[in-house]
Amino acid sequence: MAEPRTYEKRKADTIAQLEAAEADAWVATASTDGVAHMVPLSIGWTEGRIVLVTESRSITARNLGASHRARVAVGSTRDVVMIVAEMLAAYSIADAPPQLLRSFAVQSGWNPSTTSAADGYRLLELRPVQIQAWREGNEIAGRTLMTHGEWVGSQPQNS
Amino acid sequence: MAEPRTYEKRKADTIAQLEAAEADAWVATASTDGVAHMVPLSIGWTEGRIVLVTESRSITARNLGASHRARVAVGSTRDVVMIVAEMLAAYSIADAPPQLLRSFAVQSGWNPSTTSAADGYRLLELRPVQIQAWREGNEIAGRTLMTHGEWVGSQPQNS
């Protein structure tokens, strides 16, 4: 088993995974009546925001519209970045802030505003509230990198 | 883009992923009040059942105990196996059917009955209700391999 990474290393690795070209994530949401949904989606990462683009009629868009909450996993099951995120805003593609749309398009390699069906999509802006990152069992301690929307810093921690 | 796989090839690939040594999955569940949860877990696959082992006090165990439903993703975001599963039963490790426990232990490389804290774990038996598998955009058509708990067979389909 490899040595556990430091807080600073985990934070750097996490940001690298979030801003990688063609990064994508498992996005889990729930309906108000308690049915879990999960899909893989391309992500954008800019200025501390996660950008998603989904069809307006998708279950993910509907669930986020109701709950404003998602759980977003980046990386693999053996190199986990697990994020609890809240949705700040949902935009039509035409009305999306240019910086968010551009960031998503460059990172994902897909510009939704150039598709003929752009009207059917929404750009969703999410803010991470909690971020945890771990690889092996020896990284469970110290896995919490962000709570309440703030990076925790490198002080000792147990969770 | 590679040619889309046939139904038979996708089914074979899917079963191979489910029964692979050290297979693991993203398991998404929801609380009754609509909060999504998702964690990576080792899985066992035997006789058409998905076997999970989680701490009794985990959110996943609690959510499944209430809703009996999970969404289980195996593979990567670019080689997706997406399963809707229902929980058939939850067992203490001591009372779990030997075949399920043995299958999980052999496949995952971890036998929960040998841990000192075995009392704190539950073995969960899930049955797939729907299975979809796709890699690229040209595999969205034909992605549904199982509905209502039955393999659909290789007849033409549009969804």
Side-chain angles (χ1 to χ4, degrees):
Chain A
M1 201 179 288
E3 284 291 300
R5 293 169 294 166
T6 63
Y7 167 85
E8 294 300 343
K9 174 73 171 133
R10 292 195 212 198
K11 181 178 172 182
D13 288 348
T14 295
I15 291 173
Q17 282 172 277
L18 287 166
E19 67 187 14
E22 300 190 7
D24 39 28
W26 299 100
V27 178
T29 56
S31 64
T32 50
D33 58 346
V35 178
H37 192 64
M38 171 172 49
V39 286
L41 289 175
S42 296
I43 63 166
W45 173 256
T46 182
E47 294 173 355
R49 300 289 183 257
I50 296 168
V51 181
L52 305 177
V53 174
T54 70
E55 289 188 67
S56 312
R57 57 178 193 162
S58 69
I59 296 171
T60 298
R62 189 196 317 151
N63 286 349
L64 272 164
S67 74
H68 296 256
R69 280 272 173 166
R71 212 163 153 96
V72 178
V74 179
S76 75
T77 51
R78 314 251 162 169
D79 184 12
V80 177
V81 174
M82 184 64 75
I83 301 171
V84 177
E86 64 175 356
M87 188 172 77
L88 298 180
Y91 302 97
S92 68
I93 300 303
D95 293 336
Q99 163 63 15
L100 296 184
L101 183 59
R102 192 165 48 236
S103 164
F104 177 85
V106 168
Q107 191 173 343
S108 71
W110 175 57
N111 186 339
S113 65
T114 63
T115 68
S116 58
D119 286 354
Y121 286 88
R122 304 281 280 173
L123 183 147
L124 311 179
E125 178 183 2
L126 282 71
R127 184 178 78 99
V129 175
Q130 182 193 74
I131 299 179
Q132 298 183 317
W134 72 94
R135 288 182 179 159
E136 298 181 88
N138 64 358
E139 286 200 356
I140 295 298
R143 70 185 180 281
T144 301
L145 307 183
M146 176 186 283
T147 57
H148 306 292
E150 303 288 339
W151 296 100
V152 299
S154 53
Q155 75 275 20
Q157 49 167 324
N158 294 312
S159 64
Chain B
M1 200 180 289
E3 284 291 299
R5 293 170 293 167
T6 63
Y7 167 85
E8 294 300 343
K9 175 70 170 135
R10 291 195 214 199
K11 180 178 172 182
D13 288 348
T14 294
I15 291 173
Q17 282 172 278
L18 287 166
E19 67 187 13
E22 298 191 9
D24 41 27
W26 299 100
V27 178
T29 55
S31 64
T32 50
D33 58 346
V35 178
H37 192 64
M38 171 172 49
V39 287
L41 289 175
S42 296
I43 63 167
W45 173 256
T46 182
E47 296 174 352
R49 300 289 184 257
I50 296 168
V51 182
L52 305 177
V53 175
T54 70
E55 289 187 68
S56 313
R57 59 176 191 161
S58 69
I59 296 171
T60 297
R62 188 196 317 151
N63 286 349
L64 272 165
S67 74
H68 296 258
R69 280 271 171 166
R71 212 164 154 94
V72 178
V74 179
S76 75
T77 52
R78 314 252 162 169
D79 185 13
V80 177
V81 173
M82 184 64 75
I83 300 170
V84 177
E86 63 174 358
M87 188 173 77
L88 297 180
Y91 303 96
S92 68
I93 301 303
D95 293 335
Q99 164 62 15
L100 296 184
L101 182 60
R102 191 165 47 238
S103 163
F104 177 85
V106 169
Q107 190 173 344
S108 72
W110 175 57
N111 186 339
S113 64
T114 63
T115 68
S116 59
D119 286 354
Y121 287 88
R122 304 282 279 172
L123 183 146
L124 311 179
E125 178 184 2
L126 282 73
R127 183 179 80 99
V129 176
Q130 182 193 74
I131 300 179
Q132 298 182 317
W134 72 94
R135 286 180 181 162
E136 298 181 88
N138 64 357
E139 286 200 356
I140 295 299
R143 71 185 179 281
T144 301
L145 307 182
M146 175 186 283
T147 56
H148 306 293
E150 302 288 340
W151 296 100
V152 299
S154 53
Q155 74 276 17
Q157 50 165 323
N158 294 312
S159 65

